[in-house]
Amino acid sequence: MEPTNRFVYGTQYYRPPFPDRFHWREDLACIRDNSFNTVKLWAVWSWIEPSCGQYRFDDLDELVDLCQEVGLDVVLNLIPEGMPYWFFALHPDARYRMADGQVVEQSGAANLPSGGSPGLCADKADVQAAIGGFLDAVVRRYQAHPAVKVFDVWNEPHMEPIWDYPRALFCYCEHSQARFRNWLQRLYGDLQVLNATWMRAYGSWE
């Protein structure tokens, strides 16, 4: 993209499935006519891949093309924490877990009308790889589109799903615990060094 001195002045417009397709052209023209030059559109994993390997980009394709027609640039906000239900069901061991053992089931969140929140813990390698696959699929789809200027990946990073459980720490799933123990072993090297530092008497890393 060529350097530009244009001031980016935009608004967020689309979180699937709202607003309805009927309003898109009129709304986008109204946004342009009110001196905005950019809109943010959400690309939510659960909405885009409802079945394994079956991507549907029809709504985003139409919206991005409409933005180009009316003269608006696009920021695509990629939302992997809106996770497909089929994928969630494949990895019950990666559900977010609190310290007391309580697990967080998949549901709808107030800011995610298409559902799939909060997704699964990416400390499981399979989950991390699948998230990468979703991000890659969206970027490949729109990287050459002239209206798309920015891919906003995880624009509000926080420890999912702490937004809805502000007094809990995440994650205590088996994969997070394993990664934490591995990190401790690299940091301290020897269990007795950890015990001396932490003033503990652990008999094993487990």
Side-chain angles (χ1 to χ4, degrees):
M1 185 171 66
E2 293 296 322
T4 177
N5 293 322
R6 189 175 73 152
F7 183 84
V8 175
Y9 183 55
T11 182
Q12 185 167 260
Y13 181 66
Y14 181 67
R15 296 187 184 194
F18 303 111
D20 186 87
R21 212 180 216 100
F22 174 81
H23 301 284
W24 291 352
R25 183 178 294 276
E26 181 181 0
D27 285 352
L28 292 171
C30 183
I31 290 169
R32 176 206 59 205
D33 293 344
N34 280 276
S35 300
F36 291 89
N37 55 40
T38 304
V39 291
K40 175 177 276 191
L41 310 175
W42 278 34
V44 183
W45 187 9
S46 62
W47 188 257
I48 286 174
E49 193 181 5
S51 300
C52 182
Q54 300 298 313
Y55 293 97
R56 59 177 190 186
F57 289 106
D58 56 309
D59 56 344
L60 276 179
D61 284 351
E62 184 175 346
L63 274 164
V64 170
D65 288 344
L66 280 172
C67 287
Q68 183 183 12
E69 284 183 33
V70 303
L72 291 170
D73 289 340
V74 172
V75 174
L76 269 185
N77 198 16
L78 281 65
I79 311 293
E81 65 266 33
M83 194 165 285
Y85 291 90
W86 61 265
F87 186 78
F88 189 88
L90 291 175
H91 301 277
D93 55 319
R95 291 179 299 174
Y96 285 105
R97 184 178 296 270
M98 301 180 197
D100 63 3
Q102 179 181 345
V103 296
V104 179
E105 298 293 346
Q106 197 173 23
S107 65
N111 67 334
L112 200 62
S114 53
S117 178
L120 295 169
C121 180
D123 280 335
K124 183 174 182 179
D126 291 343
V127 174
Q128 191 172 120
I131 289 172
F134 160 69
L135 300 178
D136 183 70
V138 177
V139 170
R140 286 180 182 275
R141 182 80 175 189
Y142 298 105
Q143 63 183 349
H145 198 291
V148 177
K149 305 303 181 183
V150 175
F151 294 98
D152 188 0
V153 181
W154 244 324
N155 76 320
E156 294 175 340
H158 50 77
M159 293 297 293
E160 299 289 351
I162 201 169
W163 188 266
D164 295 309
Y165 301 88
R167 296 185 181 181
L169 292 175
F170 294 94
C171 177
Y172 285 82
C173 75
E174 62 183 84
H175 308 285
S176 294
Q177 291 190 46
R179 290 192 67 179
F180 180 61
R181 292 190 186 102
N182 289 337
W183 175 75
L184 290 176
Q185 290 178 40
R186 294 194 305 271
L187 180 65
Y188 292 103
D190 183 87
L191 184 62
Q192 297 315 311
V193 176
L194 180 143
N195 279 332
T197 305
W198 286 20
M199 293 179 285
R200 294 293 189 270
Y202 294 125
S204 71
W205 289 104
E206 285 66 38

